[in-house]
């Protein structure tokens, strides 16, 4: 294994991205498991949820001890100097599946034990069926600034296909309730590229749905292509020929429709799957992942990155709990981010954003060779209309480039600097 890279301390960041670390908590419970879901989730009763909150408290204490030890190291990772955390994201799963007392216990325990900035932005994911005016008032008092609503669609037929328990009118009702509760940022999750969306009439229906979403009083949209993963209900249907995923060409049409119609509604893209009405509604937390800012994840399957090493927790809830019951960190595995891996991730993630990438900065930060080996490739991308090359040599993806960003990055040659 190559030694860990020693990134430069101050790589430039786009506006709105801070160098402070992010804190993520994975809540593994859902009322039902959606047929497309590949996350670490399960249905859970009251006893399971109470046991989870108790185990999370033990993981918080172990994390505090770990952060305290960073100060005693001769070569502390960048995480030490990235504290305090300035984002706190409760994701899942469905955090709103916990009751308000449990959510309060989690947030108060985190704030009491860990270095969290007074102005840290609190994100909460919720399903429409869990939202009431009383709960919104409680969440706002708890400090929730961004509420991410797992709407997925507004069309009732599509919602039924996706196994969702709410309907389009429920989403519209909840949007009005959130606006009345004065929560700063309301985000909707969408899924596109369902198997029946290849036909022209289905594309027209998706366009109408996007326009309906754009007409709602919302601040942010996360729009994801349906992925049919092995082991999920949809994956098993596909394996036996009972479900045919949408072809790549039709997926590309859906991607462009999504970007065009949301942009027309004032929701500008800032990443391949992310759209915001104004810059301050862009996800301060998720942008940390895209720019290699350190973060700490708690809960089953959660990932952490200290600036040099990435590690992830046990995915299986009982194994995660057993480790914590023994006062052991519930880590499943870890990897050192070497120079080539770090540079490759920087290129891939940067090409998924409208900020783009500066190849010279990637070379300096990760101490790799990139430009000389890929100069002709970058020129070919520009000629094909996949990127715009700015005067400062930054590579900024076009919409066509955003659609194939992963493939562009994978095609590049990157090697450690001599």
């Amino acid at each position: 294994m190559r030694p860990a890279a020693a990134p430069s301390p101050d790589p430039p960041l786009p506006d709105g991205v801070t160098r402070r670390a992010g804190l993520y908590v994975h809540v593994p419970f859902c009322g039902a498991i959606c047929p497309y879901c590949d996350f670490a989730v399960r249905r859970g009763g009251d006893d399971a949820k109470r046991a989870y909150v108790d185990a999370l408290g033990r993981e918080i204490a172990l994390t505090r001890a770990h952060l305290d030890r960073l100060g005693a190291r001769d070569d502390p990772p960048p995480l030490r100097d990235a504290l305090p955390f300035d984002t706190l994201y409760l994701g899942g799963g469905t955090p709103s599946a916990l009751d308000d007392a449990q959510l309060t216990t989690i947030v108060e325990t985190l704030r009491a034990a860990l270095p969290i900035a007074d102005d840290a932005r609190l994100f909460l994911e919720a399903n429409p069926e869990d939202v009431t005016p009383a709960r919104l008032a409680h969440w706002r008092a708890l400090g929730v600034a961004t509420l991410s609503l797992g709407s997925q669609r507004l069309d009732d037929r599509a919602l039924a296909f996706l196994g969702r328990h709410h309907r389009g009118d429920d989403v519209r009702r909840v949007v009005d309730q959130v606006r009345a509760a004065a929560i700063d940022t309301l985000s909707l999750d969408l899924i596109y590229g369902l198997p029946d969306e290849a036909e022209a009439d289905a594309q027209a229906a998706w366009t109408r749905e996007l326009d309906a979403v754009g007409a709602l009083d919302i601040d942010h949209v996360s729009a994801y292509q349906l992925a049919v993963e092995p082991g999920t209900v949809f994956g098993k249907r596909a394996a036996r020929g009972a479900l045919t995923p949408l072809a790549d060409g039709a997926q590309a049409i859906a991607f462009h429709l999504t970007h065009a119609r949301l942009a027309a509604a004032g929701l500008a893209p800032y990443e391949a799957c992310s759209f915001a009405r104004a810059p301050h509604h862009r996800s301060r937390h998720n942008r940390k992942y895209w720019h290699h800012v350190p973060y700490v994840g708690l809960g089953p399957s959660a990932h952490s990155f200290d600036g040099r090493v990435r590690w992830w927790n046990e995915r299986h809830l009982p194994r995660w709990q057993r480790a914590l019951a023994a006062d052991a960190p519930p880590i499943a595995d870890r990897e050192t981010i070497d120079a080539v891996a770090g540079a490759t991730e920087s290129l891939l993630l940067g090409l998924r954003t409208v900020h783009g990438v500066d190849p010279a900065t990637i070379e300096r930060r990760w101490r790799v060779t990139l430009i000389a080996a890929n100069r002709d490739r970058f020129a070919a991308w520009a000629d094909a209309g996949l990127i715009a090359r700015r005067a400062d040599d930054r590579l900024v993806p076009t919409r066509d480039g955003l659609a194939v960003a992963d493939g562009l990055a994978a095609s590049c040659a990157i090697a450690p600097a001599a």
Side-chain angles (χ1 to χ4, degrees):
M1 178 181 291
R2 300 183 186 96
S8 62
D10 294 311
L13 296 174
D15 291 344
V17 182
T18 76
R19 300 186 189 283
R20 294 298 170 196
L23 182 60
Y24 174 82
V25 177
H26 183 77
V27 179
F29 301 110
C30 283
I33 309 303
C34 296
Y36 55 84
C37 183
D38 190 38
F39 295 137
V41 298
R42 62 185 294 164
R43 300 181 67 179
D46 292 342
D47 289 345
K49 293 173 184 176
R50 282 194 293 269
Y52 161 80
V53 174
D54 289 344
L56 184 65
R58 291 192 288 275
E59 187 175 17
I60 292 169
L62 289 175
T63 301
R64 173 57 186 265
H66 170 72
L67 296 178
D68 288 344
R69 287 194 295 271
L70 294 182
R73 290 179 54 173
D74 294 333
D75 61 339
L79 173 61
R80 186 194 67 173
D81 294 329
L83 298 173
F85 301 103
D86 73 353
T87 60
L88 170 54
Y89 196 110
L90 302 183
T94 311
S96 60
L98 300 179
D99 64 36
D100 289 343
Q102 290 168 330
L103 289 173
T104 298
T105 295
I106 291 171
V107 172
E108 290 183 347
T109 302
L110 289 165
R111 288 193 177 278
L114 300 181
I116 298 175
D118 291 340
D119 62 348
R121 191 169 185 88
L122 176 56
F123 297 74
L124 177 71
E125 293 181 352
N127 275 340
E129 57 266 33
D130 295 331
V131 180
T132 66
R135 297 204 77 186
L136 286 167
H138 182 89
W139 296 341
R140 188 172 186 274
L142 193 60
V144 172
T146 295
L147 182 68
S148 181
L149 198 64
S151 54
Q152 314 310 350
R153 298 294 282 256
L154 294 178
D155 177 74
D156 288 349
R157 288 182 59 192
L159 286 167
F161 173 78
L162 291 169
R164 307 297 290 168
H165 286 184
H166 62 272
R167 295 296 175 258
D169 285 345
D170 298 326
V171 177
R172 297 179 180 92
R173 170 183 51 80
V174 169
V175 167
D176 290 340
Q177 292 175 348
V178 175
R179 300 288 68 156
I183 287 176
D184 179 63
T185 297
L186 172 59
S187 179
L188 295 189
D189 286 351
L190 295 180
I191 294 178
Y192 66 87
L194 275 57
D196 64 350
E197 288 177 351
E199 302 300 327
D201 58 344
Q203 293 167 11
W206 178 226
T207 300
R208 290 192 296 272
E209 174 141 333
L210 287 166
D211 291 346
V213 168
L216 294 175
D217 187 11
I218 57 174
D219 310 298
H220 187 278
V221 167
S222 297
Y224 302 103
Q225 175 181 312
L226 177 67
V228 178
E229 302 288 354
T232 65
V233 172
F234 279 178
K236 293 174 182 176
R237 289 182 193 171
R240 64 175 186 266
L243 182 150
T244 302
L246 199 60
D248 289 346
Q251 292 281 16
I253 291 172
F255 176 91
H256 283 280
L257 277 176
T258 302
H259 275 249
R261 300 315 303 168
L262 291 179
L267 288 153
Y270 65 100
E271 186 264 348
C273 301
S274 307
F275 308 77
R277 286 206 186 274
H280 85 274
H281 291 306
R282 296 172 179 172
S283 177
R284 186 196 300 178
H285 183 84
N286 288 346
R287 295 173 88 193
K288 295 181 187 301
Y289 301 146
W290 308 336
H291 296 283
H292 282 113
V293 175
Y295 52 87
V296 171
L298 307 175
S301 81
H303 284 55
S304 301
F305 175 59
D306 68 7
R308 298 175 184 168
V309 176
R310 184 177 291 122
W311 64 94
W312 49 96
N313 281 352
E314 292 284 359
R315 179 182 175 93
H316 189 241
L317 179 62
R319 286 199 295 268
W320 174 80
Q321 290 172 316
R322 284 196 293 271
L324 290 166
D327 287 327
I331 297 173
D333 207 348
R334 66 183 72 226
E335 62 179 350
T336 298
I337 307 302
D338 64 26
V340 172
T344 301
E345 289 181 6
S346 292
L347 186 65
L348 184 151
L349 295 170
L351 287 174
R352 290 181 58 88
T353 72
V354 298
H355 184 67
V357 297
D358 175 12
T361 296
I362 293 177
E363 284 197 333
R364 288 193 303 270
R365 184 182 189 196
W366 296 103
R367 299 175 185 172
V368 296
T369 59
L370 169 65
I371 297 172
N374 296 284
R375 200 180 308 276
D376 291 345
R377 184 174 283 108
F378 297 158
W381 295 351
D383 291 343
L386 299 175
I387 62 166
R389 299 187 73 176
R390 294 195 336 196
D392 61 0
D393 289 329
R394 176 172 290 279
L395 310 180
V396 179
T398 63
R399 186 184 297 166
D400 286 338
L402 286 173
V404 295
D406 293 0
L408 296 181
S411 72
C412 286
I414 302 175

